[in-house]
Short mmCIF file of all heavy atoms in Angstrom, two decimals:
data_model
loop_
_atom_site.label_atom_id
_atom_site.label_comp_id
_atom_site.label_asym_id
_atom_site.label_seq_id
_atom_site.Cartn_x
_atom_site.Cartn_y
_atom_site.Cartn_z
N TYR O 288 97.69 106.95 115.54
CA TYR O 288 96.97 108.33 115.62
C TYR O 288 95.62 108.20 116.19
O TYR O 288 94.66 109.00 115.92
CB TYR O 288 96.95 108.96 114.20
CG TYR O 288 98.39 109.26 113.80
CD1 TYR O 288 99.10 108.38 112.99
CD2 TYR O 288 98.99 110.40 114.16
CE1 TYR O 288 100.39 108.51 112.72
CE2 TYR O 288 100.34 110.69 113.75
CZ TYR O 288 101.05 109.75 112.96
OH TYR O 288 102.39 109.97 112.70
N LEU O 289 95.35 107.27 117.09
CA LEU O 289 94.00 107.14 117.71
C LEU O 289 93.54 108.38 118.51
O LEU O 289 92.39 108.61 118.49
CB LEU O 289 93.99 105.88 118.58
CG LEU O 289 94.20 104.59 117.92
CD1 LEU O 289 94.04 103.41 118.82
CD2 LEU O 289 93.10 104.35 116.82
N ASP O 290 94.43 109.01 119.10
CA ASP O 290 94.10 110.27 119.85
C ASP O 290 93.65 111.27 118.89
O ASP O 290 92.64 112.03 119.19
CB ASP O 290 95.36 110.84 120.55
CG ASP O 290 96.54 111.10 119.72
OD1 ASP O 290 96.72 110.28 118.69
OD2 ASP O 290 97.18 112.15 119.90
N VAL O 291 94.26 111.39 117.69
CA VAL O 291 93.78 112.35 116.75
C VAL O 291 92.35 112.07 116.23
O VAL O 291 91.45 112.92 116.06
CB VAL O 291 94.79 112.45 115.54
CG1 VAL O 291 94.28 113.37 114.41
CG2 VAL O 291 96.13 112.90 116.10
N ILE O 292 92.19 110.68 115.91
CA ILE O 292 90.88 110.26 115.55
C ILE O 292 89.74 110.72 116.50
O ILE O 292 88.71 111.21 116.22
CB ILE O 292 90.87 108.70 115.33
CG1 ILE O 292 91.78 108.37 114.06
CG2 ILE O 292 89.43 108.19 115.06
CD1 ILE O 292 92.07 106.90 114.00
N ALA O 293 90.03 110.28 117.80
CA ALA O 293 89.00 110.58 118.83
C ALA O 293 88.74 112.10 118.94
O ALA O 293 87.58 112.50 119.19
CB ALA O 293 89.50 109.96 120.20
N ASN O 294 89.85 112.86 118.89
CA ASN O 294 89.67 114.41 118.96
C ASN O 294 88.79 114.88 117.87
O ASN O 294 87.86 115.69 118.01
CB ASN O 294 91.01 115.00 119.09
CG ASN O 294 90.90 116.40 119.48
OD1 ASN O 294 90.02 116.88 120.18
ND2 ASN O 294 91.85 117.23 119.05
N ILE O 295 89.18 114.53 116.59
CA ILE O 295 88.40 115.00 115.44
C ILE O 295 86.98 114.57 115.54
O ILE O 295 85.97 115.36 115.36
CB ILE O 295 89.03 114.49 114.14
CG1 ILE O 295 90.41 115.11 113.93
CG2 ILE O 295 87.98 114.76 112.94
CD1 ILE O 295 91.17 114.68 112.76
N LYS O 296 86.69 113.31 115.98
CA LYS O 296 85.38 112.71 116.17
C LYS O 296 84.54 113.64 117.05
O LYS O 296 83.29 113.84 116.80
CB LYS O 296 85.47 111.28 116.59
CG LYS O 296 84.12 110.61 116.63
CD LYS O 296 83.62 110.46 115.11
CE LYS O 296 82.22 109.73 115.13
NZ LYS O 296 81.90 109.51 113.72
N SER O 297 85.14 114.13 118.06
CA SER O 297 84.43 114.90 119.11
C SER O 297 84.05 116.35 118.56
O SER O 297 83.34 117.05 119.17
CB SER O 297 85.19 114.98 120.46
OG SER O 297 86.27 115.72 120.34
N HIS O 298 84.63 116.64 117.39
CA HIS O 298 84.43 118.00 116.87
C HIS O 298 83.64 118.04 115.58
O HIS O 298 83.45 119.10 114.98
CB HIS O 298 85.86 118.66 116.69
CG HIS O 298 86.45 119.19 117.94
ND1 HIS O 298 87.17 118.34 118.64
CD2 HIS O 298 86.42 120.43 118.51
CE1 HIS O 298 87.67 119.03 119.75
NE2 HIS O 298 87.23 120.32 119.64
N THR O 299 83.22 116.88 115.13
CA THR O 299 82.48 116.88 113.85
C THR O 299 81.35 115.87 113.94
O THR O 299 81.33 114.93 114.67
CB THR O 299 83.40 116.48 112.63
OG1 THR O 299 82.68 116.59 111.54
CG2 THR O 299 83.86 115.10 112.85
N SER O 300 80.28 116.13 113.09
CA SER O 300 79.23 115.15 112.95
C SER O 300 79.37 114.51 111.59
O SER O 300 78.38 113.76 111.18
CB SER O 300 77.89 115.81 113.20
OG SER O 300 77.74 116.94 112.28
N LEU O 301 80.35 114.77 110.79
CA LEU O 301 80.58 114.09 109.59
C LEU O 301 81.10 112.65 109.90
O LEU O 301 81.70 112.41 110.88
CB LEU O 301 81.68 114.76 108.70
CG LEU O 301 81.26 116.15 108.16
CD1 LEU O 301 82.43 116.76 107.42
CD2 LEU O 301 80.02 116.02 107.26
N PRO O 302 80.82 111.76 108.95
CA PRO O 302 81.48 110.41 108.97
C PRO O 302 82.91 110.60 108.97
O PRO O 302 83.53 111.51 108.24
CB PRO O 302 80.96 109.72 107.80
CG PRO O 302 79.76 110.42 107.41
CD PRO O 302 79.95 111.78 107.78
N LEU O 303 83.71 109.76 109.70
CA LEU O 303 85.14 109.77 109.77
C LEU O 303 85.76 108.58 109.28
O LEU O 303 85.32 107.43 109.71
CB LEU O 303 85.52 110.08 111.21
CG LEU O 303 86.97 110.23 111.51
CD1 LEU O 303 87.64 111.42 110.75
CD2 LEU O 303 87.23 110.53 113.01
N ALA O 304 86.73 108.59 108.47
CA ALA O 304 87.48 107.39 107.92
C ALA O 304 88.87 107.35 108.53
O ALA O 304 89.37 108.33 109.01
CB ALA O 304 87.44 107.45 106.38
N VAL O 305 89.39 106.20 108.40
CA VAL O 305 90.82 106.02 108.77
C VAL O 305 91.52 105.11 107.66
O VAL O 305 90.81 104.30 107.11
CB VAL O 305 90.97 105.30 110.15
CG1 VAL O 305 90.44 103.93 110.15
CG2 VAL O 305 92.51 105.32 110.58
N TYR O 306 92.76 105.45 107.48
CA TYR O 306 93.52 104.58 106.48
C TYR O 306 94.49 103.82 107.24
O TYR O 306 95.41 104.33 107.77
CB TYR O 306 94.16 105.49 105.39
CG TYR O 306 94.50 104.81 104.21
CD1 TYR O 306 94.38 105.43 102.93
CD2 TYR O 306 95.23 103.56 104.15
CE1 TYR O 306 94.76 104.76 101.72
CE2 TYR O 306 95.67 103.01 102.94
CZ TYR O 306 95.34 103.53 101.73
OH TYR O 306 95.71 102.97 100.60
N HIS O 307 94.27 102.47 107.35
CA HIS O 307 95.24 101.56 107.92
C HIS O 307 96.20 101.31 106.85
O HIS O 307 96.02 100.52 105.90
CB HIS O 307 94.38 100.23 108.27
CG HIS O 307 95.09 99.20 108.84
ND1 HIS O 307 95.26 97.93 108.41
CD2 HIS O 307 95.78 99.16 110.09
CE1 HIS O 307 95.94 97.15 109.21
NE2 HIS O 307 96.26 97.90 110.25
N VAL O 308 97.42 101.92 106.91
CA VAL O 308 98.33 102.04 105.77
C VAL O 308 99.27 100.93 105.47
O VAL O 308 99.30 99.97 106.36
CB VAL O 308 99.05 103.39 105.78
CG1 VAL O 308 98.15 104.63 105.85
CG2 VAL O 308 100.08 103.35 106.96
N SER O 309 100.01 101.00 104.48
CA SER O 309 100.85 99.94 104.06
C SER O 309 101.89 99.42 105.19
O SER O 309 102.10 98.22 105.32
CB SER O 309 101.67 100.34 102.77
OG SER O 309 102.34 101.56 103.07
N GLY O 310 102.45 100.37 105.84
CA GLY O 310 103.37 100.00 106.86
C GLY O 310 102.73 99.21 108.04
O GLY O 310 103.27 98.31 108.64
N GLU O 311 101.52 99.63 108.39
CA GLU O 311 100.78 98.93 109.40
C GLU O 311 100.48 97.47 108.94
O GLU O 311 100.55 96.56 109.75
CB GLU O 311 99.49 99.73 109.64
CG GLU O 311 99.67 101.12 110.15
CD GLU O 311 98.47 101.90 110.53
OE1 GLU O 311 97.84 101.67 111.51
OE2 GLU O 311 98.00 102.68 109.67
N TYR O 312 100.07 97.43 107.70
CA TYR O 312 99.82 96.07 107.15
C TYR O 312 101.07 95.21 107.18
O TYR O 312 101.08 94.10 107.59
CB TYR O 312 99.26 96.31 105.72
CG TYR O 312 99.05 94.95 104.97
CD1 TYR O 312 97.82 94.37 104.99
CD2 TYR O 312 100.03 94.48 104.07
CE1 TYR O 312 97.59 93.15 104.27
CE2 TYR O 312 99.85 93.24 103.46
CZ TYR O 312 98.70 92.67 103.45
OH TYR O 312 98.41 91.48 102.72
N ALA O 313 102.18 95.79 106.61
CA ALA O 313 103.44 95.11 106.55
C ALA O 313 103.88 94.64 107.92
O ALA O 313 104.42 93.52 108.11
CB ALA O 313 104.43 96.02 105.97
N MET O 314 103.76 95.51 108.97
CA MET O 314 104.20 95.03 110.21
C MET O 314 103.49 93.78 110.84
O MET O 314 104.04 92.92 111.44
CB MET O 314 104.03 96.21 111.28
CG MET O 314 105.13 97.29 111.08
SD MET O 314 104.69 98.88 111.87
CE MET O 314 104.38 98.46 113.55
N ILE O 315 102.10 93.86 110.58
CA ILE O 315 101.34 92.67 111.08
C ILE O 315 101.70 91.40 110.27
O ILE O 315 102.00 90.37 110.93
CB ILE O 315 99.83 92.93 110.93
CG1 ILE O 315 99.40 94.10 111.78
CG2 ILE O 315 99.04 91.69 111.30
CD1 ILE O 315 97.94 94.48 111.57
N LYS O 316 101.90 91.56 108.98
CA LYS O 316 102.31 90.46 108.17
C LYS O 316 103.74 89.96 108.67
O LYS O 316 103.94 88.59 108.81
CB LYS O 316 102.46 90.76 106.72
CG LYS O 316 101.11 90.94 106.01
CD LYS O 316 100.48 89.58 105.72
CE LYS O 316 99.12 89.67 105.09
NZ LYS O 316 98.46 88.37 105.00
N ALA O 317 104.67 90.85 108.94
CA ALA O 317 106.03 90.40 109.34
C ALA O 317 105.95 89.76 110.70
O ALA O 317 106.59 88.76 110.89
CB ALA O 317 106.93 91.64 109.38
N GLY O 318 105.18 90.26 111.62
CA GLY O 318 105.01 89.73 112.89
C GLY O 318 104.40 88.35 112.85
O GLY O 318 104.79 87.41 113.61
N ALA O 319 103.44 88.24 112.04
CA ALA O 319 102.71 86.90 111.88
C ALA O 319 103.67 85.86 111.27
O ALA O 319 103.71 84.75 111.75
CB ALA O 319 101.43 87.04 111.13
N ALA O 320 104.33 86.29 110.24
CA ALA O 320 105.40 85.33 109.54
C ALA O 320 106.38 84.93 110.53
O ALA O 320 106.87 83.79 110.47
CB ALA O 320 105.95 86.05 108.38
N ALA O 321 106.78 85.79 111.41
CA ALA O 321 107.76 85.56 112.41
C ALA O 321 107.27 84.60 113.51
O ALA O 321 108.03 84.16 114.44
CB ALA O 321 108.47 86.69 112.99
N GLY O 322 105.91 84.47 113.57
CA GLY O 322 105.30 83.53 114.58
C GLY O 322 105.13 84.15 115.85
O GLY O 322 104.96 83.52 116.89
N VAL O 323 105.30 85.55 115.93
CA VAL O 323 105.13 86.09 117.32
C VAL O 323 103.82 86.81 117.51
O VAL O 323 103.64 87.06 118.78
CB VAL O 323 106.27 87.28 117.46
CG1 VAL O 323 107.61 86.60 117.48
CG2 VAL O 323 106.17 88.30 116.38
N ILE O 324 102.91 86.85 116.64
CA ILE O 324 101.55 87.32 116.92
C ILE O 324 100.59 86.47 116.03
O ILE O 324 100.97 85.88 115.05
CB ILE O 324 101.36 88.81 116.57
CG1 ILE O 324 101.77 89.08 115.02
CG2 ILE O 324 101.99 89.71 117.57
CD1 ILE O 324 101.32 90.31 114.52
N ASP O 325 99.31 86.55 116.50
CA ASP O 325 98.32 85.80 115.69
C ASP O 325 97.59 86.85 114.79
O ASP O 325 96.95 87.86 115.18
CB ASP O 325 97.20 85.27 116.55
CG ASP O 325 96.06 84.67 115.84
OD1 ASP O 325 96.37 83.69 115.11
OD2 ASP O 325 94.94 85.12 115.93
N GLU O 326 97.75 86.74 113.45
CA GLU O 326 97.32 87.74 112.46
C GLU O 326 95.86 88.20 112.64
O GLU O 326 95.55 89.34 112.80
CB GLU O 326 97.66 87.17 111.10
CG GLU O 326 97.30 88.23 109.94
CD GLU O 326 97.64 87.69 108.58
OE1 GLU O 326 97.62 86.46 108.43
OE2 GLU O 326 97.79 88.51 107.62
N GLN O 327 95.08 87.14 112.60
CA GLN O 327 93.59 87.49 112.54
C GLN O 327 93.21 88.21 113.79
O GLN O 327 92.49 89.18 113.76
CB GLN O 327 92.78 86.13 112.48
CG GLN O 327 91.33 86.32 112.46
CD GLN O 327 90.51 85.06 112.14
OE1 GLN O 327 91.07 84.14 111.47
NE2 GLN O 327 89.38 85.04 112.66
N SER O 328 93.69 87.77 114.97
CA SER O 328 93.32 88.50 116.24
C SER O 328 93.81 89.89 116.34
O SER O 328 93.11 90.74 116.71
CB SER O 328 93.86 87.72 117.48
OG SER O 328 93.52 86.23 117.44
N ILE O 329 95.03 90.01 115.74
CA ILE O 329 95.69 91.31 115.77
C ILE O 329 94.86 92.28 114.90
O ILE O 329 94.62 93.43 115.23
CB ILE O 329 97.14 91.26 115.41
CG1 ILE O 329 97.97 90.60 116.44
CG2 ILE O 329 97.67 92.72 114.99
CD1 ILE O 329 98.37 91.44 117.59
N VAL O 330 94.52 91.83 113.74
CA VAL O 330 93.78 92.66 112.77
C VAL O 330 92.44 93.05 113.33
O VAL O 330 91.96 94.18 113.28
CB VAL O 330 93.68 91.99 111.42
CG1 VAL O 330 92.82 92.80 110.44
CG2 VAL O 330 95.03 91.83 110.75
N LEU O 331 91.66 92.11 113.87
CA LEU O 331 90.35 92.32 114.41
C LEU O 331 90.39 93.32 115.50
O LEU O 331 89.63 94.28 115.65
CB LEU O 331 89.66 91.05 114.84
CG LEU O 331 89.18 90.09 113.72
CD1 LEU O 331 88.81 88.70 114.18
CD2 LEU O 331 87.96 90.79 112.88
N GLU O 332 91.44 93.20 116.38
CA GLU O 332 91.59 94.02 117.44
C GLU O 332 91.92 95.45 117.03
O GLU O 332 91.39 96.44 117.54
CB GLU O 332 92.64 93.55 118.46
CG GLU O 332 92.81 94.14 119.83
CD GLU O 332 93.78 93.49 120.67
OE1 GLU O 332 93.90 92.19 120.64
OE2 GLU O 332 94.42 94.20 121.46
N THR O 333 92.79 95.51 116.04
CA THR O 333 93.11 96.84 115.48
C THR O 333 91.80 97.56 114.87
O THR O 333 91.58 98.77 115.04
CB THR O 333 94.23 96.68 114.35
OG1 THR O 333 95.26 95.97 114.90
CG2 THR O 333 94.57 98.02 113.80
N MET O 334 91.01 96.84 114.16
CA MET O 334 89.83 97.40 113.49
C MET O 334 88.88 97.86 114.59
O MET O 334 88.18 98.90 114.47
CB MET O 334 89.13 96.46 112.47
CG MET O 334 89.95 95.95 111.38
SD MET O 334 90.54 97.37 110.43
CE MET O 334 92.26 96.92 110.14
N THR O 335 88.82 97.01 115.62
CA THR O 335 87.88 97.41 116.80
C THR O 335 88.44 98.73 117.41
O THR O 335 87.60 99.70 117.79
CB THR O 335 87.86 96.34 117.81
OG1 THR O 335 87.40 95.14 117.13
CG2 THR O 335 86.98 96.66 119.07
N ALA O 336 89.74 98.92 117.60
CA ALA O 336 90.33 100.11 118.14
C ALA O 336 89.88 101.30 117.30
O ALA O 336 89.62 102.43 117.71
CB ALA O 336 91.89 99.93 118.14
#
Side-chain angles (χ1 to χ4, degrees):
Y288 296 92
L289 293 181
D290 58 323
V291 173
I292 292 169
N294 192 30
I295 292 172
K296 188 65 178 186
S297 71
H298 286 83
T299 185
S300 54
L301 293 179
L303 183 58
V305 62
Y306 199 136
H307 183 236
V308 302
S309 56
E311 301 180 79
Y312 176 88
M314 282 164 58
I315 298 175
K316 283 287 178 189
V323 293
I324 53 163
D325 176 64
E326 180 179 25
Q327 181 175 332
S328 310
I329 290 278
V330 174
L331 287 167
E332 192 173 326
T333 303
M334 299 301 134
T335 302

